[in-house]
Amino acid sequence: MEKTCTLLVHFDKGTPALANEIKEWLEGSDTGKKVDAMKKAVMLLLNGETLPQLFITIVRYVLPSTDHTIQKLLLLYLEIIDKTDVQGKILPEMILICQNLRNNLQHPNEYIRGVTLRFLSRLNEPELIEPLIPSILANLEHRHAFVRRNAVLAMMAIYKLPQGEHLLCDAPEMIEKTLSTEQDLSARRNAFLMLCTCAQDRAVNFLLSNLESVSGWGDILQMTVLELIRKVCRTNPGEKGKYIKIIISLLSSPSTAVMYECAGTLVSLSSAPTAIRAAANTYCQLLMSQSDNNVKLIVLDRLQELKASHREVMVDLIMDVLRALSSPNLDIRRKTLDIALDLITPRNIDEVVMTLKKEVVKTQSRELEKNGEYRQMLVQAIHQCALSFPEVASTVVHLLMDFLGDSNTASAVDVVYFVREIIETNPKLRESIIVRLLDTFYQIRSSRVCTSALWIIGEYCLSLAEVESGISTIKQSLGELPFFTAADEAQEAEAGEGATQSSRSNPLPVSSASSKRPAVLADGTYASQSAAAEIAISTPLSGGGTGASANLRAILLTGDFFLGAVISTTLTKLALRLEEVSSNVVLVNKTTAEILLVLVSMLRLGQSHVLAHTIDDDSYDRISLCVRILSSPDDVMRTVWLKYCRESFVNMITEKQHRETEDAKARAQVSNSQPDDLIDFHHLKSRKGLTQLEIEDEVQTDLKRATGEFTKDSDNTRKLNRVLQLTGFSDPVYAEAYVTVHQYDIVLDVTVVNRTSDTLQNLCLELATMGDLKLVERPQNYTLAPETSKQIRANIKVSSTETGVIFGNIVYETTSVLDRNVVVLNDIHIDIMDYISPASCPDVAFRNMWAEFEWENKVAVNTTIEDVQEFLDHIVASTNMKCLTPSSALDGDCGFLAANLYAKSVFGEDALVNVSVEKQPDGKLSGYIRIRSKTQGIALSLGDKITLKQKG
């Protein structure tokens, strides 16, 4: 068995010192060399050397030294050397040390006394300690506090030894007496800690007799008091009422550490609303008073836990929590918003939205590095508020529309999505939103935002004035026609010929040419997309309007013909609607002709050689379709373009709201009151001099006991599934392990059974790991009697979700055989399912991550299941992931299915899965399951799991 170590010193293995050199320096008179020699001796001993020849040298030449540094190093040396022989008896030469220790304890210098007492607190040999007891006790009354506090620590360590009560029979009484007269804070804390550890009843009596002065004690003593309270209440829960008063009084302590510990202790001991509110208020005070970001994040985690179990109390503190948004750290702001959004009620929604609006305005005025990302978070938060409480939408939508032209594209996209949803769900705001959108349209510089804004204009411009204004705005943004002239085309052709000749030596920069890349669509399938920069370019093409108002023209001339197709469909819808709302045939015909001119100009631009690449086939077909519809419209096309498109969007919004409602119902289902639930009238409870807090706490405790919350056990069947057999039934040693996974820790509870008639000596469970697993402690040796068993626990740390393997063997010796026997254990494979949990994310975020993540694992479908929906359900159940594709999109039986799955690991890693399967004519399924992640481990592990489980 490994020896205990109370000392850790860094050891440089580069130039190890020789024992002869150390001995020579110790025998010299140079104090500096003696100090270096002692340091080297200590480091060699810590790294396994024995150096027995040095002991007598140290006794002769180091023991008489008066240098304080040498005396301190001498005590460290004595701390780590072996003081007993193989039989456990004290070595004879140790007697030489006793007299020196006694002299040190009576030394006139308080430092020597203090470090010697500290050394004695780490000594485990009663034979050495017993002669020193009178000197230790005398130091309890020394004039210097440093000596007194170390004397108390030494007495506590001695009293905790197996023979400690015989060595110091009246130690608790002496320490209690010292505690009542001591003035030094550290010494009082050490004395109280000894009473808590060795004589808990005395500590409790001292605490209860000094209740009035507890709030005036120092912070380290108050922390010890809190530790005692937790210890007492765990062993005797019925007495916690009188201790809660102490905790409440300590909440106002000037020490932030005491405040934090008080709040945590209060939450762990009581479920009374008054206690929880006091703890939450304390956390909110710490949140604002502390400048360290790590402290803020820890406090926010505590508030998150309170929100999960005591939401009704936290609702009243939502504005205090939101004050943490003043921190510039994005992680703190994100966590604060997550907490606050779950606490919104009709009573506080106005205050919350007002706060969020102020924060949005601040991001506009101050140019900080991550203002755009913070603004995006705020927009998403306001969006969620407006969907939950539609009445506040009118107060925020116009403010947010000012950010449609935001340089941060992601933030602007969130704004336009918010506007698109609000204009459908709040019909009263339609007119004002359209007017504001048309006024600010020229500010938009992002292609993605322009496409959504154009769709809104095409669908929600209903009156004659709105339609005319919409057409006028789009035409103004496109600038004057044509987009180019014959002279421009000829000039570009000549430039192209010249560029062709020099293209080998001077290739075009990547950013100036079109790059074709696959894009993942909302259903998980791929599509070809032309990537074009979302910036306005400087071009010599003719036609005015390349100024600030011609934003569509600038984007179109970068080669973004998908935007051109959206412009075409929007203008077509507006032309068809103009025909419905206007009786002026001349105006309708004139407007239609002008729109046709725009469409044809875009087609000509796409087919010309003016731009770096020509129009793609999809955009060409879309614009051509618009031309045909405007040339010869009919009632069927009018219905399709003006009615069905909007109905599809309405269905999408309805489906989304339905999913969110169902999720909310599922989350809230556990807190609903059942018909036979207890209705408690705590006003009728006998008060017997109890405070309101104590009454509330007793009620909550009774309720938990009545509902069985104290005795709730986990599923025993699942426990049995985690028992793994490590050896065979015919092996002399049988072993099985119960594996417990808790986030970053794996605990193996191994049961070892000696099935032989011999005593097994030095039995050791040797484990090794492969992957991102790390053993925490070294194995120990055990002696196992015949037909007996032993429980051995091994702790393993995990650092990622990569599949890990634990393997090893059991080694033991018997009295009849000199050689060591080895039993090889079965391998333990750590399942990735223990680390990932279902999660959800927006479709946009999923597609962004899919494009960014570089690790992909492609698994071919190979299953006996013949139904695509059944196969998807099987994969979802097997991988512990959530299907992001709505059930409405998976309805029907077409023999093809594409769906996106998402999960998050405990380490914050994202796991993305796309399932694409098709039913073949012979009834079998074919296709691929693609897994993407930021790290290689999770992609490989999840792929192996799917390959193993997909058979069905």
Side-chain angles (χ1 to χ4, degrees):
M1 181 177 172
E2 293 292 324
K3 294 184 294 183
T4 57
C5 176
T6 57
L7 184 63
L8 185 63
V9 179
H10 171 69
F11 179 58
D12 185 5
K13 297 181 180 178
T15 55
L18 299 175
N20 292 335
E21 288 181 6
I22 296 175
K23 186 175 180 181
E24 183 181 339
W25 291 347
L26 290 175
E27 291 175 351
S29 58
D30 190 340
T31 303
K33 286 191 174 183
K34 277 190 178 183
V35 170
D36 289 339
M38 287 299 296
K39 286 181 179 178
K40 292 182 184 298
V42 168
M43 286 191 287
L44 285 173
L45 284 168
L46 284 173
N47 283 273
E49 301 289 338
T50 53
L51 305 178
Q53 67 273 29
L54 286 184
F55 183 79
I56 298 301
T57 304
I58 288 174
V59 169
R60 288 180 61 192
Y61 296 100
V62 179
L63 218 60
S65 174
T66 57
D67 185 81
H68 290 179
T69 306
I70 293 177
Q71 286 295 321
K72 172 69 175 175
L73 291 168
L74 172 63
L75 292 173
L76 294 179
Y77 169 80
L78 295 175
E79 185 178 325
I80 56 181
I81 62 171
D82 290 327
K83 305 171 192 65
T84 56
D85 56 16
V86 180
Q87 284 78 28
K89 295 182 179 179
I90 200 78
L91 292 172
E93 55 264 32
M94 286 297 120
I95 304 302
L96 299 171
I97 304 299
C98 271
Q99 184 60 40
N100 179 69
L101 293 176
R102 185 183 293 108
N103 294 338
N104 281 357
L105 290 175
Q106 297 168 358
H107 199 280
N109 183 275
E110 60 272 6
Y111 175 76
I112 297 296
R113 288 196 185 206
V115 293
T116 307
L117 287 165
R118 180 71 62 88
F119 163 72
L120 291 176
S121 66
R122 296 171 184 166
L123 208 59
N124 296 322
E125 288 74 25
E127 295 88 348
L128 293 178
I129 295 172
E130 189 171 6
L132 305 175
I133 293 295
S135 301
I136 296 172
L137 297 178
N139 280 301
L140 277 178
E141 299 177 358
H142 192 271
R143 59 181 176 79
H144 203 284
F146 178 71
V147 177
R148 297 197 302 274
R149 72 178 70 136
N150 282 294
V152 175
L153 284 178
M155 288 183 66
M156 179 168 68
I158 295 169
Y159 194 78
K160 285 162 68 174
L161 291 174
Q163 301 89 353
E165 293 188 16
H166 301 290
L167 294 173
L168 288 169
C169 54
D170 55 351
E173 292 88 340
M174 298 178 65
I175 292 297
E176 189 173 11
K177 181 180 177 183
T178 302
L179 185 59
S180 59
T181 58
E182 181 60 62
Q183 299 300 316
D184 180 69
L185 179 59
S186 294
R188 295 190 74 194
R189 178 257 180 193
N190 292 347
F192 190 75
L193 182 61
M194 180 186 171
L195 290 181
C196 294
T197 309
C198 306
Q200 186 172 302
D201 291 341
R202 291 180 180 273
V204 170
N205 292 333
F206 178 81
L207 175 62
L208 295 179
S209 61
N210 293 272
L211 284 178
E212 295 78 11
S213 57
V214 170
S215 57
W217 292 353
D219 53 352
I220 56 175
L221 186 52
Q222 289 175 343
M223 299 279 275
T224 313
V225 168
L226 290 172
E227 182 60 37
L228 173 67
I229 290 174
R230 284 194 292 267
K231 193 174 177 182
V232 170
C233 292
R234 274 196 297 268
T235 55
N236 193 358
E239 294 186 0
K240 64 183 179 182
K242 56 186 175 185
Y243 295 109
I244 289 179
K245 296 177 185 176
I246 303 174
I247 301 171
I248 294 290
S249 68
L250 290 179
L251 283 174
S252 56
S253 170
S255 168
T256 52
V258 174
M259 290 171 64
Y260 178 80
E261 286 296 324
C262 275
T265 305
L266 203 54
V267 172
S268 65
L269 294 184
S270 175
S271 299
T274 307
I276 300 300
R277 190 173 294 107
N281 276 321
T282 303
Y283 284 139
C284 289
Q285 290 176 32
L286 293 172
L287 195 59
M288 292 311 301
S289 63
Q290 296 302 300
S291 57
D292 190 300
N293 288 339
N294 292 318
V295 174
K296 286 178 181 284
L297 288 170
I298 292 171
V299 172
L300 285 170
D301 285 338
R302 301 290 84 77
L303 288 171
Q304 186 101 25
E305 293 168 3
L306 280 184
K307 182 203 71 178
S309 53
H310 304 281
R311 183 181 181 276
E312 65 285 350
V313 175
M314 287 295 297
V315 164
D316 297 333
L317 300 172
I318 184 170
M319 298 311 297
D320 294 327
V321 174
L322 282 174
R323 289 166 63 191
L325 291 176
S326 59
S327 170
N329 184 276
L330 276 183
D331 292 328
I332 293 173
R333 287 169 163 175
R334 184 178 293 109
K335 194 165 282 192
T336 302
L337 288 174
D338 289 342
I339 295 172
L341 289 177
D342 287 339
L343 299 176
I344 295 175
T345 64
R347 284 188 303 154
N348 58 31
I349 181 64
D350 292 331
E351 288 182 287
V352 172
V353 170
M354 188 177 298
T355 303
L356 296 179
K357 282 168 62 178
K358 288 179 182 177
E359 291 296 316
V360 170
V361 173
K362 287 179 186 176
T363 63
Q364 193 176 17
S365 59
R366 290 185 299 178
E367 282 302 323
L368 296 178
E369 183 182 351
K370 295 188 176 180
N371 258 355
E373 194 174 343
Y374 179 42
R375 191 182 304 127
Q376 183 183 358
M377 289 162 46
L378 291 171
V379 169
Q380 292 171 350
I382 292 174
H383 188 174
Q384 189 171 333
C385 292
L387 293 180
S388 303
F389 301 91
E391 63 273 9
V392 303
S394 59
T395 63
V396 294
V397 67
H398 298 102
L399 171 68
L400 293 184
M401 288 180 73
D402 290 335
F403 296 98
L404 286 173
D406 195 348
S407 57
N408 183 345
T409 303
S411 175
V413 168
D414 283 331
V415 172
V416 78
Y417 285 174
F418 170 63
V419 172
R420 187 181 67 179
E421 197 160 344
I422 291 301
I423 201 172
E424 173 58 40
T425 55
N426 289 264
K428 294 178 182 178
L429 301 176
R430 185 191 64 80
E431 292 182 10
S432 60
I433 290 177
I434 287 294
V435 171
R436 189 62 179 271
L437 180 60
L438 294 176
D439 288 342
T440 58
F441 186 79
Y442 70 90
Q443 300 175 356
I444 302 174
R445 289 290 178 268
S446 166
S447 176
R448 290 174 63 191
V449 181
C450 277
T451 53
S452 295
L454 286 168
W455 186 89
I456 295 171
I457 292 172
E459 289 295 337
Y460 295 97
C461 286
L462 304 180
S463 66
L464 177 60
E466 291 169 349
V467 172
E468 290 178 341
S469 180
I471 295 173
S472 173
T473 301
I474 295 172
K475 286 168 64 179
Q476 183 181 357
S477 297
L478 286 171
E480 298 178 10
L481 299 179
F483 293 109
F484 69 98
T485 63
D488 293 328
E489 186 171 15
Q491 184 180 349
E492 290 294 326
E494 292 175 7
E497 290 176 4
T500 304
Q501 295 174 2
S502 60
S503 61
R504 293 181 181 177
S505 58
N506 298 306
L508 285 171
V510 176
S511 60
S512 65
S514 168
S515 61
K516 295 279 187 176
R517 61 186 174 90
V520 61
L521 302 179
D523 62 352
T525 56
Y526 285 113
S528 179
Q529 173 181 319
S530 298
E534 294 186 347
I535 56 173
I537 61 172
S538 176
T539 173
L541 300 183
S542 63
T546 54
S549 61
N551 54 332
L552 292 182
R553 184 188 190 94
I555 301 173
L556 196 59
L557 292 180
T558 63
D560 188 352
F561 287 104
F562 176 73
L563 176 63
V566 176
I567 294 171
S568 303
T569 54
T570 301
L571 289 173
T572 303
K573 288 178 184 177
L574 292 175
L576 294 175
R577 187 162 284 117
L578 182 64
E579 190 178 347
E580 283 187 352
V581 298
S582 175
S583 57
N584 189 339
V585 180
V586 176
L587 174 63
V588 172
N589 290 339
K590 180 184 176 183
T591 304
T592 303
E594 291 173 350
I595 291 174
L596 282 170
L597 180 60
V598 172
L599 304 188
V600 172
S601 298
M602 282 193 287
L603 287 175
R604 285 201 61 215
L605 176 66
Q607 292 176 326
S608 70
H609 299 289
V610 173
L611 300 182
H613 59 89
T614 58
I615 188 171
D616 59 283
D617 294 337
D618 288 342
S619 300
Y620 181 86
D621 292 342
R622 190 71 170 166
I623 298 174
S624 301
L625 176 63
C626 294
V627 172
R628 283 198 298 272
I629 289 172
L630 290 178
S631 303
S632 55
D634 57 36
D635 293 338
V636 175
M637 287 295 107
R638 287 191 185 94
T639 305
V640 170
W641 282 68
L642 299 181
K643 183 180 178 184
Y644 290 166
C645 182
R646 180 151 170 205
E647 285 182 355
S648 298
F649 178 66
V650 171
N651 290 337
M652 186 183 84
I653 294 295
T654 306
E655 174 69 22
K656 178 186 173 187
Q657 292 175 342
H658 177 70
R659 286 203 314 271
E660 291 174 351
T661 305
E662 290 297 321
D663 290 344
K665 284 182 180 177
R667 286 195 301 268
Q669 194 168 7
V670 292
S671 59
N672 288 341
S673 297
Q674 299 299 323
D676 55 349
D677 274 359
L678 170 69
I679 300 175
D680 184 78
F681 299 95
H682 66 264
H683 295 286
L684 304 180
K685 191 176 182 72
S686 174
R687 294 182 178 266
K688 295 182 293 187
L690 301 177
T691 63
Q692 179 69 20
L693 176 59
E694 290 175 284
I695 295 172
E696 289 180 10
D697 187 64
E698 282 194 14
V699 169
Q700 294 292 330
T701 304
D702 292 344
L703 189 57
K704 283 186 177 182
R705 190 176 288 111
T707 54
E709 192 168 331
F710 287 149
T711 58
K712 199 175 288 181
D713 290 325
S714 55
D715 188 5
N716 291 325
T717 308
R718 194 175 177 190
K719 278 189 175 183
L720 291 175
N721 290 337
R722 292 180 178 271
V723 176
L724 302 174
Q725 184 178 340
L726 301 182
T727 63
F729 291 114
S730 60
D731 287 320
V733 176
Y734 175 76
E736 63 181 22
Y738 174 64
V739 184
T740 306
V741 178
H742 180 68
Q743 292 195 352
Y744 298 91
D745 300 297
I746 299 174
V747 179
L748 297 181
D749 287 307
V750 183
T751 303
V752 180
V753 181
N754 179 7
R755 305 185 67 221
T756 67
S757 56
D758 299 325
T759 299
L760 305 184
Q761 299 176 348
N762 294 327
L763 183 141
C764 179
L765 174 67
E766 297 179 346
L767 296 176
T769 59
M770 187 173 68
D772 288 336
L773 304 175
K774 194 172 185 181
L775 282 167
V776 176
E777 67 255 319
R778 295 189 181 198
Q780 297 183 7
N781 292 341
Y782 302 94
T783 299
L784 209 57
E787 305 297 334
T788 58
S789 63
K790 180 74 179 176
Q791 294 283 342
I792 303 174
R793 172 167 288 194
N795 292 304
I796 297 168
K797 287 287 180 185
V798 192
S799 57
S800 81
T801 48
E802 185 177 349
T803 299
V805 181
I806 304 171
F807 51 92
N809 46 51
I810 293 176
V811 183
Y812 62 92
E813 299 173 354
T814 59
T815 54
S816 57
V817 182
L818 295 176
D819 295 334
R820 304 198 78 187
N821 298 290
V822 179
V823 178
V824 180
L825 306 178
N826 288 334
D827 295 345
I828 301 174
H829 293 265
I830 302 304
D831 195 352
I832 188 178
M833 294 301 104
D834 293 321
Y835 303 115
I836 66 172
S837 56
S840 59
C841 73
D843 289 339
V844 176
F846 185 92
R847 291 198 289 276
N848 289 340
M849 287 189 287
W850 188 272
E852 291 170 7
F853 290 172
E854 55 186 12
W855 291 103
E856 177 173 300
N857 190 3
K858 193 174 183 180
V859 180
V861 173
N862 180 17
T863 180
T864 56
I865 300 173
E866 296 186 352
D867 181 71
V868 290
Q869 184 64 50
E870 183 184 348
F871 178 73
L872 175 64
D873 295 339
H874 175 66
I875 293 296
V876 170
S878 302
T879 57
N880 198 24
M881 302 185 80
K882 181 175 182 178
C883 182
L884 299 182
T885 308
S887 56
S888 59
L890 301 173
D891 288 344
D893 186 16
C894 63
F896 175 81
L897 182 144
N900 294 331
L901 313 181
Y902 179 69
K904 210 171 182 68
S905 75
V906 295
F907 310 103
E909 300 167 315
D910 300 290
L912 314 178
V913 172
N914 172 252
V915 181
S916 298
V917 290
E918 183 181 8
K919 192 168 186 177
Q920 299 295 328
D922 60 359
K924 293 184 179 179
L925 299 184
S926 66
Y928 292 97
I929 301 170
R930 289 190 297 275
I931 304 131
R932 284 200 183 183
S933 65
K934 205 167 190 176
T935 57
Q936 182 184 18
I938 195 168
L940 294 176
S941 303
L942 206 51
D944 294 342
K945 185 73 176 179
I946 290 174
T947 304
L948 189 67
K949 293 283 189 178
Q950 69 165 323
K951 293 279 186 184

